[in-house]
Amino acid sequence: MGNENLFNSLLDRIRVLVEGPDSKESRLDAVCRLLKNSIPEYDWVGFYLVDRTKEKELILGPYAGEPTEHLRIPFGAGICGQAALREETFIVDDVTGETNYLSCSPQVKSEIVIPIFRKGKLVGELDIDSHTPASFSKKDDVFLTEVGKIVSDLL
Ligand code: SME
């Protein structure tokens, strides 16, 4: 992976997509589908949103891929919850080696979670699972962090 041209063209398309007339949820859904359909190693792409009423808990938002049982994740639980607590990107090359991990499917081998901020405050995350081990590099981190900035007003 790390195809710079593909990443740049996807960023251009996402910048157009977020300005569209559809609901925020539909636009986030379209971003998930675009990422999943454009990059073969991205097998599940979804957003988790910080629960504004409860705080310290994430709620599953729009996603593309198989349904997951993890509809709500407390801060600190699993890769998503740890990324929310630490407000840092997490890249896991081999999820089977993780003790604090919430499995969605035995097919998943690696994962990246990118925190998304609005006005400096954590508002959600972009979570991507891959069926291939070690699918995510620093280049994916940079690319997806930019995606997060572009979509942050929709969360
Ligand atoms: N694996 C995640 C849970 C969410 S699913 O990947 C959709 C975790 O450990 O937080």
Side-chain angles (χ1 to χ4, degrees):
M1 216 184 301
N3 182 333
E4 221 161 287
N5 291 336
L6 174 60
F7 284 168
N8 284 333
S9 84
L10 287 171
L11 289 173
D12 286 342
R13 287 175 68 182
I14 291 169
R15 284 189 191 99
V16 174
L17 231 165
V18 297
E19 300 297 337
D22 299 333
S23 70
K24 289 182 177 184
E25 197 174 349
S26 301
R27 284 178 275 165
L28 287 175
D29 189 74
V31 171
C32 293
R33 279 184 282 117
L34 177 63
L35 290 174
K36 182 179 184 296
N37 295 337
S38 306
I39 300 178
E41 290 86 354
Y42 291 9
D43 290 297
W44 190 95
V45 179
F47 291 99
Y48 277 94
L49 318 179
V50 175
D51 185 339
R52 286 187 202 144
T53 58
K54 249 180 139 178
E55 285 207 1
K56 307 294 173 207
E57 202 161 291
L58 298 161
I59 314 170
L60 180 64
Y63 67 91
E66 292 296 310
T68 170
E69 67 191 82
H70 302 297
L71 306 183
R72 300 188 75 95
I73 300 178
F75 279 29
I79 311 302
C80 291
Q82 292 177 78
L85 199 62
R86 302 240 309 252
E87 300 194 345
E88 281 171 14
T89 292
F90 271 61
I91 293 178
V92 179
D93 289 342
D94 172 12
V95 297
T96 63
E98 293 296 308
T99 44
N100 189 358
Y101 171 69
L102 304 169
S103 174
C104 289
S105 143
Q107 279 186 295
V108 174
K109 300 290 186 291
S110 57
E111 177 163 4
I112 187 168
V113 181
I114 305 275
I116 300 176
F117 302 92
R118 192 168 60 236
K119 293 182 184 150
K121 199 170 157 30
L122 182 77
V123 287
E125 297 179 342
L126 178 53
D127 177 21
I128 303 186
D129 289 341
S130 176
H131 297 170
T132 310
S135 279
F136 306 103
S137 69
K138 183 70 194 162
K139 287 179 180 167
D140 297 272
D141 179 0
V142 170
F143 165 58
L144 296 167
T145 298
E146 189 58 29
V147 172
K149 284 183 187 156
I150 298 169
V151 304
S152 65
D153 280 343
L154 301 180
L155 267 70

